Amino acid sequence: MVSNSAPSTPRLLPSGGTLRGTVRVPGDKSISHRALLFGAIAEGETRIEGLLPAEDPLSTAACLRAMGVGVSAIEVGRTVTVQGVGLDGLSEPGDVLDCGNSGTTMRLMLGLLAGRSGRHFVLSGDRSLRGRPMRRVGAPLGEMGAQIHGRKGGNFAPLAVLGQPLRGATIHTPVASAQVKSAILLAALTANGETTVIEPAQSRDHSERMLKAFGADLEVQGEERNRVWVRPGSRLSGQSVVVPGDISSAAFWLVAAAITPGAELTVENVGLNPSRTGILEVLEQMGAAVSVHNRRDVAGEPVGDLQVRHGPLRAFEIGGDLIPRLVDEIPVLAVAACCAEGTSRIRDAAELRVKETDRLTVMARQLGAMGARITEYDDGMAVSGGVELHGAELDSETDHRVAMSLAVAARIARGDSTLHRPEAAAVSYPGFWDDLQQLGT
Ligand code: S3P
């Protein structure tokens, strides 16, 4: 877990050098959480290959174990097994469920637990998570009859869930959030009638794909695929899940190679679910040399290998329905924007303010320390390209994606940088620093 108080050693980020070779990023974080959670409420064993062995999925596994689910050790290269307890088999834990730094763990868990009648659960997490909005999940679950209580009208953890029988509902979510959508879908599995979730735009659809594969009676509807319908009553059965590499982790290498003179990288086995590939469209808009090879389908998710090399880049403009398809890649896209010709603009991205940190302010502050020219908007930022970055004293501010984005920026800066709290990267990519060393020349 990312500790908010433990002292950590700053990391020297040397300037210069190039990047060459082949890398495999660890398993997709979103798919890893879902494989553990759905395996837990299925009947029989679920086997998960390629599960992300990082702090966030470890938080999900620890919560499930505390409710009586057998989850085998999570280690690099090891198949993980989950002994499902069935839809109503989770037992009441004797202590607070610690979700660590993981918003996905807490939000999906709220949906999973809201309908566990007669049982009482308390969820908490680290300082960052205790400051993230949870009413966005509690309010729609409330429409289904859930009872979730917490600070500030149930918006902030610690949260208490008093398990209740739930009713089916038609719910319009105010934000395109896969965490909110997935929490409702999980609650809908044991409601007393059908549920439909309608999002303003489609968010990542890993839950829909995987729940169907586990046997849920679920349909994605609408031309924009932003409506999901669920009928309760189907039993879920344990599956074999293969987790592809995380495109949100691959994004650091894609941008690093695109902006670093002489760089040429291949990132193998990357998940290419269309609800996640916005980054590839932006890199194309920038004129980056990225190509996709060996496209294939692995256990219900599209996968491929990505090749990228350095080249000149143009500024980009992004907003609207594209944002949910690249929401986690915006910090590293801000780095790419610093190296492009012209001014890049990011709009409709106010969601970044409620991630592990306020990523708009934090990226503007940290890249600003390197000499970047960034103007923050309420819902995004403008980044002037063509400004030479210089080495600086940097801080991840405990955010994993900030840590890795700054590592990418530091290599092309003039002069070395130092990064405080680099260990944050372990939330989603524990081997990041080793991979950076291995690919650097
Ligand atoms: C996630 C959804 C996204 C993303 C997060 C993981 C998920 O959040 O930022 O890292 O696994 O469902 P929102 O759906 O809240 O935007």
Side-chain angles (χ1 to χ4, degrees):
M1 238 154 277
V2 173
S3 160
N4 295 305
S5 53
S8 72
T9 315
R11 191 170 187 107
L12 175 70
L13 301 178
S15 139
T18 193
L19 292 159
R20 286 188 167 272
T22 298
V23 63
R24 267 187 174 236
V25 289
D28 188 278
K29 182 158 77 69
S30 295
I31 298 176
S32 295
H33 284 297
R34 287 158 174 79
L36 291 167
L37 286 162
F38 303 167
I41 54 169
E43 289 172 20
E45 183 176 273
T46 287
R47 296 178 67 79
I48 314 169
E49 227 180 276
L51 186 108
L52 169 65
E55 287 170 8
D56 268 13
L58 287 174
S59 294
T60 292
C63 290
L64 292 172
R65 287 187 190 117
M67 293 184 285
V69 180
V71 182
S72 68
I74 296 177
E75 285 161 15
V76 180
R78 232 163 98 176
T79 299
V80 173
T81 55
V82 181
Q83 307 304 330
V85 295
L87 269 172
D88 203 39
L90 295 170
S91 54
E92 183 177 273
D95 205 344
V96 173
L97 295 169
D98 183 356
C99 304
N101 188 242
S102 176
T104 309
T105 306
M106 185 170 281
R107 294 195 176 115
L108 270 59
M109 220 39 103
L110 289 172
L112 186 71
L113 303 179
R116 306 279 82 82
S117 269
R119 276 152 280 176
H120 182 207
F121 309 88
V122 180
L123 291 95
S124 196
D126 73 5
R127 189 192 312 178
S128 154
L129 189 58
R130 281 181 274 121
R132 294 182 67 188
M134 294 297 149
R135 202 162 33 213
R136 54 177 53 200
V137 177
L141 293 177
E143 289 178 44
M144 301 172 77
Q147 282 211 29
I148 299 173
H149 304 279
R151 295 182 299 124
K152 303 268 187 237
N155 203 25
F156 296 120
L159 294 169
V161 182
L162 306 171
Q164 300 292 321
L166 300 180
R167 47 183 182 269
T170 297
I171 294 169
H172 290 260
T173 65
V175 280
S177 159
Q179 294 179 352
V180 174
K181 173 176 62 180
S182 303
I184 299 167
L185 296 179
L186 279 165
L189 294 175
T190 54
N192 69 354
E194 296 171 13
T195 293
T196 303
V197 194
I198 304 156
E199 299 190 276
Q202 194 203 16
S203 63
R204 63 192 65 186
D205 67 355
H206 304 300
S207 294
E208 294 87 309
R209 288 172 187 249
M210 205 189 289
L211 278 174
K212 263 190 109 146
F214 272 76
D217 192 2
L218 174 152
E219 229 175 67
V220 179
Q221 303 171 334
E223 225 164 88
E224 284 149 34
R225 304 185 61 73
N226 62 334
R227 289 170 70 100
V228 190
W229 169 92
V230 188
R231 188 181 10 227
S234 301
R235 294 204 329 227
L236 307 185
S237 46
Q239 299 294 313
S240 278
V241 180
V242 184
V243 184
D246 197 326
I247 190 165
S248 298
S249 298
F252 301 108
W253 305 124
L254 299 179
V255 170
I259 66 172
T260 307
E264 183 151 12
L265 290 181
T266 301
V267 193
E268 288 180 343
N269 191 42
V270 181
L272 296 175
N273 180 313
S275 64
R276 299 284 299 281
T277 49
I279 174 87
L280 300 181
E281 288 158 37
V282 179
L283 288 169
E284 194 182 328
Q285 198 188 124
M286 299 181 81
V290 181
S291 50
V292 183
H293 303 269
N294 202 11
R295 274 187 194 271
R296 55 205 185 271
D297 207 76
V298 179
E301 290 277 350
V303 173
D305 302 333
L306 302 173
Q307 249 172 29
V308 51
R309 71 190 136 69
H310 174 251
L313 297 175
R314 297 185 290 275
F316 62 84
E317 305 234 351
I318 57 172
D321 293 359
L322 180 59
I323 298 298
R325 297 179 52 233
L326 48 63
V327 66
D328 291 335
E329 289 67 79
I330 290 176
V332 79
L333 279 172
V335 176
C338 292
C339 306
E341 197 190 316
T343 300
S344 295
R345 284 189 186 77
I346 299 163
R347 302 304 310 232
D348 306 318
E351 273 297 295
L352 265 78
R353 298 207 180 276
V354 292
K355 294 292 177 187
E356 286 80 335
T357 59
D358 175 342
R359 286 180 174 160
L360 297 175
T361 293
V362 170
M363 286 308 293
R365 179 160 55 223
Q366 295 300 325
L367 288 175
M370 304 178 86
R373 288 218 305 269
I374 298 182
T375 308
E376 242 184 281
Y377 307 135
D378 287 351
D379 68 343
M381 55 170 75
V383 184
S384 305
V387 178
E388 193 188 26
L389 300 181
H390 54 75
E393 187 109 352
L394 302 169
D395 188 353
S396 74
E397 306 197 27
T398 75
D399 188 323
H400 54 128
R401 303 210 193 274
V402 171
M404 295 182 272
S405 300
L406 294 175
V408 170
R411 294 184 62 89
I412 50 116
R414 181 173 34 84
D416 298 344
S417 298
T418 305
L419 179 66
H420 292 264
R421 298 187 272 187
E423 70 284 355
V427 159
S428 61
Y429 196 161
F432 176 78
W433 301 110
D434 294 337
D435 285 352
L436 182 62
Q437 201 151 6
Q438 181 232 313
L439 296 168
T441 58

